[in-house]
Amino acid sequence: MASVCASPAVAAISSPSSQKSRSVAGATKASFLGGKKLKLRKNGVTAGTRSVSVSAAAADPNRPLWFPGSTPPEWLDGSLPGDFGFDPLGLGSDPETLRWNVQSEIVHCRWAMLGAAGIFIPELLTKLGILNTPSWYTAGEQEYFTDTTTLFIVEMIFIGWAEGRRWADIIKPGCVNTDPIFPNNKLTGTDVGYPGGLWFDPLGWGSGSPEKVKELRTKEIKNGRLAMLAVMGAWFQHIYTGTGPIDNLIAHLADPGHATVFAAFTPK
């Protein structure tokens, strides 16, 4: 995950054309944080050391679109990473909802990338004889050092603590910048969702130019979207074939004319 370093070249989501037609200064919008009213300023709502506003490099009027020649909605001006003007249901038309959806997508992308790695890599290494792991689909049925109920409760406690701190950072940006155990370790990111620091950006990739940072953000979103589709695909594959994605790939390569997705819907 690349963290983001704020700079004067970083702009908020509203497009230049829409800024000319109407000013957002002093406008009141319903907050996605719990129904409170937020006073929006031109550069977004800021508090602490991180900003709630979705920031990125300036919009590119010649950016690629999901369908060439289509007209993107005005709230998707290309300033967001991974923005290809696709929002047929208008889910991002409200600025507060758009900010929330951006954070939701980032988190789902990151979990999906971890999930995809947890599905494909162990299965591949097991096939190569390096590991001996059960199928990801039946991993929950295995016997571990304790019962599954205890594992679930412990998992909920740890994830709940991490998600609680993330939620606190959304409500009050910067309030969780200091490590509660090691006070000298502080987060360096400037945007919500991109904490930076030693733990989240050890190579310092998020400290470059706004253009470079947006490029890294876009790559993360693209890989995350692909991972969400991959996890869903692996799930459906196991339901219909009873085997994992690596087994399905090997079977397809051995018999590409018959071992296809259509075979799962063909009566036997």
Side-chain angles (χ1 to χ4, degrees), residues 13-32:
I13 4 176
S14 56
S15 67
S17 58
S18 62
Q19 288 176 351
K20 292 178 182 178
S21 60
R22 65 183 184 275
S23 173
V24 296
T28 304
K29 295 290 184 181
S31 171
F32 72 93

Side-chain angles (χ1 to χ4, degrees), residues 154-231:
V154 172
E155 178 182 347
M156 291 299 294
I157 291 174
F158 281 106
I159 292 181
W161 178 80
E163 286 296 289
R165 287 179 64 83
R166 188 176 69 86
W167 177 244
D169 192 46
I170 292 177
I171 296 176
K172 186 180 179 181
C175 68
V176 294
N177 277 9
T178 302
D179 193 308
I181 301 176
F182 304 101
N184 292 330
N185 182 25
K186 299 181 183 296
L187 301 179
T188 59
T190 57
D191 282 355
V192 173
Y194 298 89
L198 178 63
W199 296 107
F200 300 100
D201 188 19
L203 301 180
W205 287 354
S207 59
S209 66
E211 292 76 16
K212 183 64 176 178
V213 167
K214 184 180 179 182
E215 179 186 353
L216 292 174
R217 281 185 171 191
T218 300
K219 288 179 178 179
E220 180 185 36
I221 292 294
K222 283 184 174 181
N223 282 281
R225 290 169 179 170
L226 182 61
M228 287 190 281
L229 291 174
V231 170

Side-chain angles (χ1 to χ4, degrees), residues 31-57:
S31 171
F32 72 93
L33 304 177
K36 296 183 291 185
K37 298 290 185 180
L38 291 181
K39 193 176 218 180
L40 299 184
R41 294 190 297 269
K42 187 173 181 181
N43 291 329
V45 181
T46 57
T49 59
R50 271 212 287 278
S51 170
V52 179
S53 61
V54 182
S55 303

Side-chain angles (χ1 to χ4, degrees), residues 139-162:
E141 302 173 0
Q142 307 301 312
E143 293 292 333
Y144 296 98
F145 58 89
T146 187
D147 60 281
T148 54
T149 302
T150 302
L151 288 174
F152 176 76
I153 294 174
V154 172
E155 178 182 347
M156 291 299 294
I157 291 174
F158 281 106
I159 292 181
W161 178 80

